[in-house]
Each structure stands twice: as C-alpha cells, then as structure tokens.
Amino acid sequence: MSRYDRRDIMMELIELSRDIKAEIMQQLNYYRASVYKSETAAMVEGKIEQLQLVADLLGDDELQDAFRDYEAMKRGGLTMATPGECLLSLRTMNLMQATDRIFADLINRHPEQSPQDTLQFSRNIQRHRRQLLSLCRQGSRQWAFFSTL
C-alpha cells in the first residue's frame, strides 16, 4: 500500500464513483421509459448501495450527510412528492447533484492528514479491497489499481 498515497486512492475512489453514477443515470433513464418499474428500481437501489460503499470508504462527513438525506427522502415518501413526480427520480437526482458537488470539493481540497488518519484510511481500503474489486469492471484501470493494493 505504501506506493500510493491517500490522495491517489481517493482520486481512484472518486473515479469509481463516477462510473457507478453513470450506471445509475442509465438505469434511471431506463426506469422512466420502462414498464418493468420494480425491477429497474431495485437495480437503481443496488447501484446506490454500491455508491454508498465507496462514499463510506472516502470517509467524508458531508458525503455521508447526502446519503442520510437520501434515506430520509426515501422514508418521507409521499409527503414530499409533488403530484405526478416520480419519487425515485427525485431522490436519486438530489443525491447525484449533492455527490457531484461534494466530489468536486474533495478533488480541490488538500487537507492535512495525520499519519494515524492515513494509516486508518489505508487499513480500511485494504479491508474492503474485495468489495471494491467487485464494483470495478474486470480489466479496467480501477480494477488494476485496486488489485495492486
């Protein structure tokens, strides 16, 4: 793990999240036109869980808040809906917009990390390495990166 610093790993995690978000958007577009709403919604929810795993590994509090907001909207259900509006699309788009902003901020942020924080981050990535590899397309750049950790 010593040949990659925390910033390199974070950038790869952000890139992996962008790939997952692109898949979510594709499924959401299909959901809007599909007659198989429940199956497609389950696929979108599964991809969001994958995105949340990556967000958990990044360890950013603001990013965690975005997922808590998503869950709150999910529980709030019909009370938050405008008539005729799709709740899945609404809460998913809110999550996508929030994560876009947070990822852009993470890329530009250069916080000083203590050696203990960096070590904890590295251990956390190593602990979840298999899960990360399962999220990557085999043979992709991200897969190659995470397989060397």
Side-chain angles (χ1 to χ4, degrees), residues 77-127:
L78 297 175
T79 60
M80 301 179 75
T82 305
E85 188 169 27
C86 176
L87 293 176
L88 177 66
S89 294
L90 174 68
R91 69 175 178 260
T92 303
M93 290 308 297
N94 284 344
L95 178 65
M96 296 296 110
Q97 291 170 352
T99 55
D100 280 343
R101 182 182 46 76
I102 295 165
F103 287 144
D105 186 45
L106 278 174
I107 290 169
N108 296 324
R109 203 182 317 160
H110 301 286
E112 292 298 319
Q113 298 292 326
S114 70
Q116 184 178 3
D117 288 343
T118 302
L119 182 63
Q120 180 63 32
F121 179 75
S122 299
R123 285 183 180 159
N124 199 23
I125 296 297
Q126 286 176 334
R127 203 171 314 129

Side-chain angles (χ1 to χ4, degrees), residues 12-144:
E12 289 298 327
L13 287 171
I14 290 171
E15 193 62 35
L16 176 59
S17 351
R18 286 180 176 158
D19 290 348
I20 294 170
K21 286 172 63 171
E23 292 174 14
I24 290 170
M25 294 307 296
Q26 286 177 336
Q27 289 299 319
L28 197 57
N29 286 334
Y30 179 71
Y31 173 84
R32 290 176 181 142
S34 175
V35 294
Y36 302 106
K37 299 284 188 201
S38 59
E39 294 88 349
T40 309
M43 291 172 68
V44 169
E45 292 291 335
K47 290 291 179 186
I48 289 173
E49 288 173 10
Q50 292 176 356
L51 183 61
Q52 188 167 12
L53 170 67
V54 176
D56 290 343
L57 291 174
L58 283 167
D60 184 73
D61 292 334
E62 194 176 356
L63 198 51
Q64 297 305 315
D65 286 343
F67 282 95
R68 282 191 281 276
D69 291 346
Y70 173 82
E71 290 299 323
M73 285 181 76
K74 195 173 176 181
R75 284 189 304 274
L78 297 175
T79 60
M80 301 179 75
T82 305
E85 188 169 27
C86 176
L87 293 176
L88 177 66
S89 294
L90 174 68
R91 69 175 178 260
T92 303
M93 290 308 297
N94 284 344
L95 178 65
M96 296 296 110
Q97 291 170 352
T99 55
D100 280 343
R101 182 182 46 76
I102 295 165
F103 287 144
D105 186 45
L106 278 174
I107 290 169
N108 296 324
R109 203 182 317 160
H110 301 286
E112 292 298 319
Q113 298 292 326
S114 70
Q116 184 178 3
D117 288 343
T118 302
L119 182 63
Q120 180 63 32
F121 179 75
S122 299
R123 285 183 180 159
N124 199 23
I125 296 297
Q126 286 176 334
R127 203 171 314 129
H128 295 282
R129 182 175 163 260
R130 288 184 193 261
Q131 288 173 303
L132 280 171
L133 287 172
S134 71
L135 299 179
C136 301
R137 285 189 172 81
Q138 189 168 359
S140 69
R141 187 177 50 78
Q142 282 107 6
W143 187 86

